[in-house]
Amino acid sequence: MVQQRELIPYRNILTMKQGKPSITAPLSKKSNNNSSFVGLVCAVVSAIVAFIGTLLLCVSVMSSSTSSKNTQNKSSGSIRSVIEKNTQPNDILLPDTQPPKGLIIHTHLGDIRIQFTPELSGESSINYIKEVVQTASSKQNSGMAIGETANGRRVTDGYKCSRCKFYRSEKQLLLQGVIAQVNVPKNTELGPCPLEDYKPKNKCPEHDPNCGCHGPIMTKGFVGWAGGGGGPDFFINTFKNPVDWWENQHTVWGMLDEKSIKLVESIYDLPVHGTGMKMLDEEIEISLELF
């Protein structure tokens, strides 16, 4: 019969050898020196392998982090070099910006935001406004501050063009002004007619002898070219009902939000003069910005 070995309970046994403490692994009564030596060698080898593995992992992580940082710095430097090379000091639009969706008119009373409506006016009216703003920018004639944000995008409070202002105020009906810049040709393309077989009801005005159909019936917040033409004079309609007596004779190129409509209505309280058209006693200078 094979004699079973009695195991000593698992614990560390502290022994004193030559006055120095040593820690031995838990052993059975039948264990010998050879098995102890083999166990010690295995433990040492395992420790060495674990150390080498940990060292290699650290080196790999540090290398990956350095490579990623270098790639990021190189990419950032490349983007900034392109911007600095291709962007003039007063450029509003950067290479990575989307085409503008509208126009901000800055006044001393507040800002008026106009959302472009190329589906009503065609692209020609929108391109004219964009060219006015960009030409004013390149002339570096902005009367307001220009700075740069942390992400490198240029910011501005608008550019002052050579002939941009509000001059007419018809209470609860319209605010009229002009957007023009030297060396920017006038827009001559009018909006597409939304109606088939359009027949005007009113007598044709002198500036539009054919009573052309240039856009939809204007409603509150619509922005269009004045006089039935293609600019540069424009007006903002704030009448509460659709202005059907104007028929379809105006090219509509934008629309205001509610906040901007309220600001326009506050301008009606400014002093005006005139027996027919009501002109502002003091014209309101404006600066422009695309958004």
Side-chain angles (χ1 to χ4, degrees):
M1 176 178 291
V2 179
Q3 182 180 1
Q4 294 184 348
R5 294 181 295 175
E6 179 182 355
L7 298 179
I8 299 175
Y10 185 87
R11 66 182 184 275
N12 289 334
I13 302 175
L14 182 62
T15 62
M16 301 297 295
K17 185 176 181 180
Q18 295 180 354
K20 297 181 180 179
S22 63
I23 298 176
T24 62
L27 301 174
S28 70
K29 289 182 178 179
K30 296 293 186 179
S31 60
N32 52 42
N33 291 336
N34 289 336
S35 61
S36 298
F37 178 78
V38 172
L40 181 60
V41 170
C42 290
V44 172
V45 171
S46 298
I48 294 174
V49 171
F51 175 78
I52 294 175
T54 303
L55 182 62
L56 291 176
L57 179 61
C58 292
V59 172
S60 176
V61 170
M62 293 177 62
S63 176
S64 176
S65 176
T66 302
S67 176
S68 175
K69 185 175 181 180
N70 289 339
T71 301
Q72 184 178 0
N73 291 339
K74 182 178 180 181
S75 176
S76 176
S78 177
I79 294 174
R80 179 164 293 278
S81 65
V82 170
I83 294 175
E84 293 175 351
K85 181 178 180 181
N86 297 308
T87 305
Q88 297 299 322
N90 285 339
D91 280 347
I92 292 178
L93 301 179
L94 296 179
D96 61 337
T97 58
Q98 297 297 321
K101 297 180 180 180
L103 176 71
I104 302 176
I105 297 179
H106 297 283
T107 76
H108 69 284
L109 300 171
D111 294 343
I112 300 172
R113 294 178 66 91
I114 303 174
Q115 185 81 24
F116 288 148
T117 56
E119 66 276 10
L120 300 179
S121 65
E123 291 293 339
S124 181
S125 293
I126 309 303
N127 289 336
Y128 169 78
I129 296 169
K130 288 163 54 178
E131 189 172 355
V132 167
V133 177
Q134 291 169 350
T135 301
S137 168
S138 66
K139 295 291 185 181
Q140 300 183 14
N141 60 351
S142 171
M144 300 188 183
I146 298 176
E148 185 170 296
T149 61
N151 62 6
R153 293 186 181 277
R154 299 189 68 78
V155 294
T156 176
D157 286 326
Y159 293 102
K160 182 173 173 54
C161 47
S162 57
R163 201 156 65 90
C164 292
K165 61 185 179 181
F166 287 119
Y167 58 82
R168 180 186 175 193
S169 174
E170 304 287 350
K171 194 165 188 177
Q172 304 307 321
L173 178 60
L174 64 85
L175 179 66
Q176 186 166 323
V178 58
I179 295 177
Q181 172 65 34
V182 175
N183 298 327
V184 176
K186 293 182 179 180
N187 171 57
T188 58
E189 185 175 330
L190 305 179
C193 184
L195 305 174
E196 294 183 2
D197 302 322
Y198 169 73
K199 294 181 181 179
K201 299 177 183 178
N202 299 331
K203 181 180 178 180
C204 297
E206 294 181 1
H207 62 266
D208 191 3
N210 298 319
C211 290
C213 172
H214 311 310
I217 297 291
M218 296 191 72
T219 58
K220 188 173 183 177
F222 271 2
V223 184
W225 297 124
D233 292 85
F234 73 103
F235 68 99
I236 299 170
N237 169 50
T238 60
F239 195 68
K240 60 181 180 179
N241 298 322
V243 194
D244 53 5
W245 66 86
W246 288 342
E247 297 188 357
N248 300 83
Q249 299 174 16
H250 295 287
T251 297
V252 176
W253 54 265
M255 177 180 293
L256 270 63
D257 56 27
E258 288 297 326
K259 183 178 179 180
S260 297
I261 290 176
K262 290 181 180 179
L263 190 143
V264 170
E265 290 175 336
S266 71
I267 295 177
Y268 294 145
D269 295 329
L270 297 178
V272 296
H273 63 274
T275 55
M277 294 183 178
K278 303 297 183 182
M279 302 297 179
L280 289 165
D281 286 356
E282 294 185 9
E283 296 178 341
I284 300 174
E285 293 188 0
I286 62 178
S287 61
L288 308 178
E289 179 183 359
L290 300 172
F291 71 89

